[in-house]
Amino acid sequence: MTVKTPEQVQKMRVAGLVVAEALERMAEAVRPGATTADLDRIARTVLEHHGATSSFLGYGDPGFPAVICASVGAAVVHGIPDDRPLEEGELCSIDFGAIVDGWHGDAAVTVPVGTCSPEVLELNRVTEQSLWAALRTARPGGRLSDIGAAVEQVVRPHGYGLLDDYTGHGIGRSMHEPPHVPNLAPRGPGHGMALDVGICLAIEPMATLGTGEVDVLEDEWTVVTADGQQASHWEHTVAITPDGPWVLTAADGGASRLSSPVSSQL
Ligand code: MG
């Protein structure tokens, strides 16, 4: 696990703002009949405009073939963009990572396609809320399990499924750095690694309307719910500052969604 200097966190903020802009533009383009390949093209345009490169393209084995993960309907994460028109009532998760000057930013939003059922909208609202609850725990003096405990505290009362094997992660010069950042805290808050100033994490809760059981499709990437129920996934990259969390992939640094003041000049 690496601790970043204030100067390095500033560089990650630059990447984070590229991610924020791209996700905002892609979210605006989600509608019935649009395709996730359309969204991928929007993201490539934003990367090019900023002289940034993709965290995802070519990642892993088999190399990921796109600059976004687009996970629609029963897909939870790691979906590959394609030309299937989006359908009314689906949730579309868009996950995007950018590299600027060697530093990564990584975030995801889940956008309703047209009109969704109240049940689906509630799943999406609660999952986003769990992300912000978790982000608020990213402060000096905390422990790693505070994050998963915050997610569980928001999600569990609704009976949604949470995934055992898919976590957030440290982030910096690589998209995935130690530690794993679980969305579960079997022993509750107050356990695990100490959260110190300069630690940067990608926190990414995912929740499903059914159980947390998932399968991976034959493309070796797309994670889908085993029961076919819809899922929601939200993510931000956050830096721990002396004043608390600085949400690097939120345009306003998270100020509007965090109850505590956020440093804008670490
Ligand atoms: Mg991530």
Side-chain angles (χ1 to χ4, degrees), residues 141-185:
R143 294 281 187 157
L144 188 63
S145 82
D146 297 355
I147 293 167
V151 171
E152 286 203 77
Q153 188 177 19
V154 173
V155 170
R156 289 289 184 208
H158 297 269
Y160 300 144
L162 287 167
L163 281 59
D164 292 331
D165 294 337
Y166 293 85
T167 68
H169 47 92
I171 181 168
R173 283 193 213 271
S174 300
M175 176 168 60
H176 293 138
E177 295 184 355
H180 293 291
V181 181
N183 296 308
L184 303 168

Short mmCIF file of all heavy atoms in Angstrom, two decimals, residues 141-185:
data_model
loop_
_atom_site.label_atom_id
_atom_site.label_comp_id
_atom_site.label_asym_id
_atom_site.label_seq_id
_atom_site.Cartn_x
_atom_site.Cartn_y
_atom_site.Cartn_z
N GLY A 141 -7.62 8.17 11.36
CA GLY A 141 -8.10 7.61 12.62
C GLY A 141 -9.07 6.47 12.40
O GLY A 141 -9.37 5.72 13.33
N GLY A 142 -9.57 6.33 11.18
CA GLY A 142 -10.47 5.23 10.88
C GLY A 142 -9.73 3.95 10.58
O GLY A 142 -8.49 3.91 10.56
N ARG A 143 -10.49 2.91 10.35
CA ARG A 143 -9.94 1.60 9.97
C ARG A 143 -10.64 1.14 8.70
O ARG A 143 -11.79 1.52 8.43
CB ARG A 143 -10.19 0.58 11.07
CG ARG A 143 -9.45 0.87 12.36
CD ARG A 143 -8.00 0.43 12.23
NE ARG A 143 -7.32 0.56 13.51
CZ ARG A 143 -6.22 -0.14 13.83
NH1 ARG A 143 -5.71 -1.01 12.95
NH2 ARG A 143 -5.64 0.03 14.98
N LEU A 144 -9.95 0.24 7.98
CA LEU A 144 -10.46 -0.19 6.69
C LEU A 144 -11.88 -0.75 6.78
O LEU A 144 -12.71 -0.50 5.91
CB LEU A 144 -9.51 -1.24 6.09
CG LEU A 144 -9.80 -1.65 4.65
CD1 LEU A 144 -9.65 -0.47 3.69
CD2 LEU A 144 -8.86 -2.78 4.22
N SER A 145 -12.17 -1.49 7.84
CA SER A 145 -13.50 -2.13 7.90
C SER A 145 -14.62 -1.13 8.17
O SER A 145 -15.80 -1.47 8.06
CB SER A 145 -13.52 -3.25 8.95
OG SER A 145 -13.70 -2.75 10.24
N ASP A 146 -14.26 0.12 8.51
CA ASP A 146 -15.30 1.15 8.66
C ASP A 146 -16.07 1.32 7.35
O ASP A 146 -17.27 1.64 7.35
CB ASP A 146 -14.69 2.51 9.03
CG ASP A 146 -13.97 2.49 10.38
OD1 ASP A 146 -14.03 1.46 11.08
OD2 ASP A 146 -13.35 3.52 10.72
N ILE A 147 -15.33 1.11 6.24
CA ILE A 147 -15.92 1.33 4.91
C ILE A 147 -17.00 0.29 4.63
O ILE A 147 -18.15 0.63 4.32
CB ILE A 147 -14.80 1.31 3.84
CG1 ILE A 147 -13.88 2.52 4.05
CG2 ILE A 147 -15.40 1.29 2.44
CD1 ILE A 147 -12.58 2.46 3.27
N GLY A 148 -16.64 -0.98 4.75
CA GLY A 148 -17.62 -2.05 4.52
C GLY A 148 -18.77 -2.00 5.50
O GLY A 148 -19.92 -2.27 5.15
N ALA A 149 -18.45 -1.62 6.75
CA ALA A 149 -19.51 -1.53 7.76
C ALA A 149 -20.53 -0.45 7.38
O ALA A 149 -21.74 -0.62 7.56
CB ALA A 149 -18.90 -1.24 9.13
N ALA A 150 -20.02 0.65 6.83
CA ALA A 150 -20.93 1.74 6.41
C ALA A 150 -21.82 1.29 5.26
O ALA A 150 -23.02 1.60 5.22
CB ALA A 150 -20.11 2.97 6.02
N VAL A 151 -21.24 0.55 4.31
CA VAL A 151 -22.03 0.04 3.19
C VAL A 151 -23.12 -0.88 3.72
O VAL A 151 -24.31 -0.75 3.38
CB VAL A 151 -21.14 -0.71 2.18
CG1 VAL A 151 -22.00 -1.44 1.14
CG2 VAL A 151 -20.16 0.25 1.50
N GLU A 152 -22.72 -1.82 4.57
CA GLU A 152 -23.70 -2.79 5.09
C GLU A 152 -24.81 -2.12 5.88
O GLU A 152 -25.98 -2.51 5.79
CB GLU A 152 -23.00 -3.82 5.97
CG GLU A 152 -22.18 -4.83 5.19
CD GLU A 152 -21.98 -6.11 5.97
OE1 GLU A 152 -22.93 -6.92 6.04
OE2 GLU A 152 -20.87 -6.29 6.51
N GLN A 153 -24.43 -1.10 6.65
CA GLN A 153 -25.42 -0.44 7.49
C GLN A 153 -26.53 0.20 6.65
O GLN A 153 -27.69 0.23 7.05
CB GLN A 153 -24.74 0.63 8.35
CG GLN A 153 -25.66 1.23 9.39
CD GLN A 153 -24.96 2.22 10.29
OE1 GLN A 153 -23.88 2.73 9.95
NE2 GLN A 153 -25.55 2.50 11.44
N VAL A 154 -26.15 0.69 5.47
CA VAL A 154 -27.16 1.31 4.60
C VAL A 154 -27.93 0.27 3.80
O VAL A 154 -29.16 0.35 3.64
CB VAL A 154 -26.49 2.33 3.64
CG1 VAL A 154 -27.48 2.85 2.61
CG2 VAL A 154 -25.88 3.48 4.43
N VAL A 155 -27.21 -0.75 3.30
CA VAL A 155 -27.81 -1.70 2.35
C VAL A 155 -28.61 -2.80 3.03
O VAL A 155 -29.69 -3.18 2.56
CB VAL A 155 -26.70 -2.30 1.45
CG1 VAL A 155 -27.24 -3.46 0.61
CG2 VAL A 155 -26.11 -1.22 0.55
N ARG A 156 -28.08 -3.35 4.12
CA ARG A 156 -28.70 -4.53 4.75
C ARG A 156 -30.17 -4.38 5.11
O ARG A 156 -30.96 -5.32 4.89
CB ARG A 156 -27.90 -4.96 5.99
CG ARG A 156 -26.55 -5.56 5.71
CD ARG A 156 -26.64 -6.94 5.09
NE ARG A 156 -25.33 -7.54 4.93
CZ ARG A 156 -25.03 -8.43 3.97
NH1 ARG A 156 -25.96 -8.81 3.10
NH2 ARG A 156 -23.83 -8.93 3.89
N PRO A 157 -30.57 -3.23 5.69
CA PRO A 157 -31.98 -3.12 6.09
C PRO A 157 -32.96 -3.29 4.93
O PRO A 157 -34.13 -3.61 5.14
CB PRO A 157 -32.08 -1.70 6.67
CG PRO A 157 -30.69 -1.36 7.10
CD PRO A 157 -29.79 -2.05 6.11
N HIS A 158 -32.47 -3.09 3.70
CA HIS A 158 -33.33 -3.24 2.52
C HIS A 158 -33.36 -4.67 2.00
O HIS A 158 -34.13 -4.99 1.10
CB HIS A 158 -32.86 -2.30 1.41
CG HIS A 158 -32.97 -0.85 1.80
ND1 HIS A 158 -34.09 -0.10 1.55
CD2 HIS A 158 -32.11 -0.04 2.45
CE1 HIS A 158 -33.92 1.13 2.01
NE2 HIS A 158 -32.73 1.18 2.57
N GLY A 159 -32.48 -5.52 2.55
CA GLY A 159 -32.47 -6.93 2.14
C GLY A 159 -31.81 -7.18 0.80
O GLY A 159 -31.96 -8.27 0.23
N TYR A 160 -31.09 -6.21 0.29
CA TYR A 160 -30.43 -6.39 -1.01
C TYR A 160 -29.24 -7.34 -0.88
O TYR A 160 -28.67 -7.52 0.18
CB TYR A 160 -29.92 -5.04 -1.55
CG TYR A 160 -31.00 -4.00 -1.78
CD1 TYR A 160 -30.74 -2.67 -1.54
CD2 TYR A 160 -32.26 -4.36 -2.26
CE1 TYR A 160 -31.72 -1.70 -1.75
CE2 TYR A 160 -33.23 -3.40 -2.48
CZ TYR A 160 -32.95 -2.07 -2.22
OH TYR A 160 -33.92 -1.12 -2.44
N GLY A 161 -28.85 -7.91 -2.04
CA GLY A 161 -27.67 -8.75 -2.08
C GLY A 161 -26.40 -7.92 -2.16
O GLY A 161 -26.37 -6.88 -2.81
N LEU A 162 -25.35 -8.36 -1.43
CA LEU A 162 -24.01 -7.77 -1.54
C LEU A 162 -23.06 -8.86 -2.00
O LEU A 162 -23.25 -10.03 -1.65
CB LEU A 162 -23.56 -7.20 -0.20
CG LEU A 162 -24.24 -5.91 0.26
CD1 LEU A 162 -23.94 -5.64 1.74
CD2 LEU A 162 -23.78 -4.73 -0.59
N LEU A 163 -22.02 -8.49 -2.75
CA LEU A 163 -21.12 -9.48 -3.33
C LEU A 163 -19.92 -9.72 -2.41
O LEU A 163 -19.27 -8.78 -1.97
CB LEU A 163 -20.61 -9.00 -4.70
CG LEU A 163 -21.59 -9.17 -5.87
CD1 LEU A 163 -22.89 -8.43 -5.67
CD2 LEU A 163 -20.91 -8.75 -7.17
N ASP A 164 -19.62 -11.00 -2.19
CA ASP A 164 -18.50 -11.36 -1.32
C ASP A 164 -17.15 -11.09 -1.99
O ASP A 164 -16.20 -10.67 -1.34
CB ASP A 164 -18.53 -12.87 -0.99
CG ASP A 164 -19.70 -13.21 -0.09
OD1 ASP A 164 -20.11 -12.34 0.69
OD2 ASP A 164 -20.19 -14.36 -0.18
N ASP A 165 -17.06 -11.37 -3.27
CA ASP A 165 -15.74 -11.48 -3.92
C ASP A 165 -15.35 -10.27 -4.75
O ASP A 165 -14.32 -10.28 -5.40
CB ASP A 165 -15.71 -12.72 -4.82
CG ASP A 165 -15.81 -14.00 -4.01
OD1 ASP A 165 -15.48 -13.96 -2.81
OD2 ASP A 165 -16.25 -15.02 -4.57
N TYR A 166 -16.17 -9.23 -4.76
CA TYR A 166 -15.84 -8.05 -5.55
C TYR A 166 -15.74 -6.84 -4.62
O TYR A 166 -16.66 -6.56 -3.85
CB TYR A 166 -16.88 -7.82 -6.65
CG TYR A 166 -16.81 -8.94 -7.68
CD1 TYR A 166 -17.50 -10.14 -7.49
CD2 TYR A 166 -15.99 -8.82 -8.79
CE1 TYR A 166 -17.40 -11.18 -8.40
CE2 TYR A 166 -15.87 -9.86 -9.71
CZ TYR A 166 -16.59 -11.03 -9.50
OH TYR A 166 -16.46 -12.06 -10.40
N THR A 167 -14.59 -6.18 -4.69
CA THR A 167 -14.27 -5.14 -3.71
C THR A 167 -13.77 -3.89 -4.40
O THR A 167 -13.44 -3.91 -5.59
CB THR A 167 -13.15 -5.63 -2.77
OG1 THR A 167 -11.93 -5.73 -3.52
CG2 THR A 167 -13.48 -6.98 -2.13
N GLY A 168 -13.66 -2.82 -3.64
CA GLY A 168 -12.89 -1.67 -4.08
C GLY A 168 -11.41 -1.96 -3.88
O GLY A 168 -11.01 -3.08 -3.55
N HIS A 169 -10.60 -0.89 -4.03
CA HIS A 169 -9.16 -1.12 -4.11
C HIS A 169 -8.40 0.17 -3.87
O HIS A 169 -8.93 1.27 -4.08
CB HIS A 169 -8.81 -1.66 -5.51
CG HIS A 169 -9.46 -0.89 -6.63
ND1 HIS A 169 -8.85 0.17 -7.25
CD2 HIS A 169 -10.69 -1.00 -7.22
CE1 HIS A 169 -9.66 0.65 -8.19
NE2 HIS A 169 -10.79 -0.01 -8.18
N GLY A 170 -7.13 0.02 -3.46
CA GLY A 170 -6.24 1.16 -3.48
C GLY A 170 -6.02 1.59 -4.92
O GLY A 170 -6.23 0.82 -5.86
N ILE A 171 -5.60 2.84 -5.11
CA ILE A 171 -5.41 3.38 -6.47
C ILE A 171 -4.34 4.45 -6.42
O ILE A 171 -4.19 5.15 -5.41
CB ILE A 171 -6.76 3.92 -7.02
CG1 ILE A 171 -6.61 4.45 -8.45
CG2 ILE A 171 -7.39 4.96 -6.09
CD1 ILE A 171 -7.94 4.73 -9.14
N GLY A 172 -3.62 4.59 -7.53
CA GLY A 172 -2.56 5.60 -7.60
C GLY A 172 -1.90 5.55 -8.96
O GLY A 172 -2.53 5.84 -9.97
N ARG A 173 -0.65 5.13 -8.98
CA ARG A 173 0.05 4.95 -10.26
C ARG A 173 -0.45 3.72 -10.99
O ARG A 173 -0.21 3.56 -12.18
CB ARG A 173 1.55 4.83 -10.04
CG ARG A 173 2.24 6.13 -9.77
CD ARG A 173 3.74 5.93 -9.90
NE ARG A 173 4.47 6.77 -8.99
CZ ARG A 173 4.88 8.00 -9.28
NH1 ARG A 173 4.58 8.52 -10.45
NH2 ARG A 173 5.55 8.70 -8.42
N SER A 174 -1.10 2.81 -10.27
CA SER A 174 -1.81 1.69 -10.88
C SER A 174 -3.28 1.83 -10.53
O SER A 174 -3.63 2.40 -9.50
CB SER A 174 -1.30 0.35 -10.34
OG SER A 174 0.06 0.21 -10.61
N MET A 175 -4.13 1.27 -11.42
CA MET A 175 -5.56 1.33 -11.12
C MET A 175 -5.88 0.51 -9.87
O MET A 175 -6.69 0.93 -9.04
CB MET A 175 -6.38 0.82 -12.30
CG MET A 175 -7.87 0.78 -12.02
SD MET A 175 -8.87 0.52 -13.48
CE MET A 175 -8.30 -1.05 -14.09
N HIS A 176 -5.26 -0.65 -9.78
CA HIS A 176 -5.52 -1.53 -8.63
C HIS A 176 -4.26 -1.67 -7.79
O HIS A 176 -3.29 -2.29 -8.21
CB HIS A 176 -5.98 -2.92 -9.10
CG HIS A 176 -7.32 -2.89 -9.76
ND1 HIS A 176 -7.62 -3.60 -10.88
CD2 HIS A 176 -8.45 -2.21 -9.46
CE1 HIS A 176 -8.88 -3.38 -11.25
NE2 HIS A 176 -9.40 -2.53 -10.39
N GLU A 177 -4.28 -1.09 -6.62
CA GLU A 177 -3.19 -1.23 -5.66
C GLU A 177 -3.78 -1.85 -4.40
O GLU A 177 -4.99 -1.80 -4.19
CB GLU A 177 -2.62 0.15 -5.29
CG GLU A 177 -1.95 0.88 -6.46
CD GLU A 177 -1.31 2.21 -6.02
OE1 GLU A 177 -1.46 2.60 -4.85
OE2 GLU A 177 -0.66 2.82 -6.88
N PRO A 178 -2.92 -2.42 -3.54
CA PRO A 178 -3.42 -2.83 -2.23
C PRO A 178 -3.94 -1.59 -1.50
O PRO A 178 -3.43 -0.49 -1.75
CB PRO A 178 -2.19 -3.40 -1.52
CG PRO A 178 -1.19 -3.65 -2.62
CD PRO A 178 -1.48 -2.67 -3.70
N PRO A 179 -4.87 -1.73 -0.59
CA PRO A 179 -5.51 -2.97 -0.16
C PRO A 179 -6.79 -3.23 -0.96
O PRO A 179 -7.28 -2.36 -1.68
CB PRO A 179 -5.89 -2.61 1.29
CG PRO A 179 -6.28 -1.16 1.20
CD PRO A 179 -5.34 -0.56 0.18
N HIS A 180 -7.34 -4.45 -0.82
CA HIS A 180 -8.72 -4.67 -1.20
C HIS A 180 -9.61 -3.86 -0.25
O HIS A 180 -9.30 -3.75 0.94
CB HIS A 180 -9.09 -6.14 -1.10
CG HIS A 180 -8.38 -7.00 -2.12
ND1 HIS A 180 -8.64 -6.92 -3.46
CD2 HIS A 180 -7.43 -7.95 -1.97
CE1 HIS A 180 -7.87 -7.77 -4.12
NE2 HIS A 180 -7.11 -8.41 -3.23
N VAL A 181 -10.69 -3.32 -0.77
CA VAL A 181 -11.61 -2.51 0.06
C VAL A 181 -12.98 -3.18 0.04
O VAL A 181 -13.82 -2.89 -0.82
CB VAL A 181 -11.69 -1.07 -0.46
CG1 VAL A 181 -12.61 -0.24 0.43
CG2 VAL A 181 -10.29 -0.43 -0.53
N PRO A 182 -13.21 -4.12 0.98
CA PRO A 182 -14.47 -4.88 0.96
C PRO A 182 -15.69 -4.01 1.22
O PRO A 182 -15.62 -3.01 1.93
CB PRO A 182 -14.28 -5.90 2.10
CG PRO A 182 -12.81 -5.94 2.37
CD PRO A 182 -12.30 -4.56 2.04
N ASN A 183 -16.79 -4.44 0.65
CA ASN A 183 -18.08 -3.81 0.90
C ASN A 183 -18.83 -4.52 2.03
O ASN A 183 -20.02 -4.28 2.24
CB ASN A 183 -18.92 -3.81 -0.37
CG ASN A 183 -18.28 -2.98 -1.46
OD1 ASN A 183 -17.94 -1.82 -1.24
ND2 ASN A 183 -18.08 -3.58 -2.63
N LEU A 184 -18.13 -5.38 2.71
CA LEU A 184 -18.68 -6.13 3.83
C LEU A 184 -17.72 -5.99 5.01
O LEU A 184 -16.52 -5.83 4.81
CB LEU A 184 -18.80 -7.62 3.49
CG LEU A 184 -19.61 -8.00 2.25
CD1 LEU A 184 -19.37 -9.46 1.89
CD2 LEU A 184 -21.08 -7.76 2.52
N ALA A 185 -18.25 -6.06 6.21
CA ALA A 185 -17.40 -6.00 7.41
C ALA A 185 -17.92 -7.02 8.41
O ALA A 185 -18.65 -6.67 9.34
CB ALA A 185 -17.41 -4.60 8.00
#
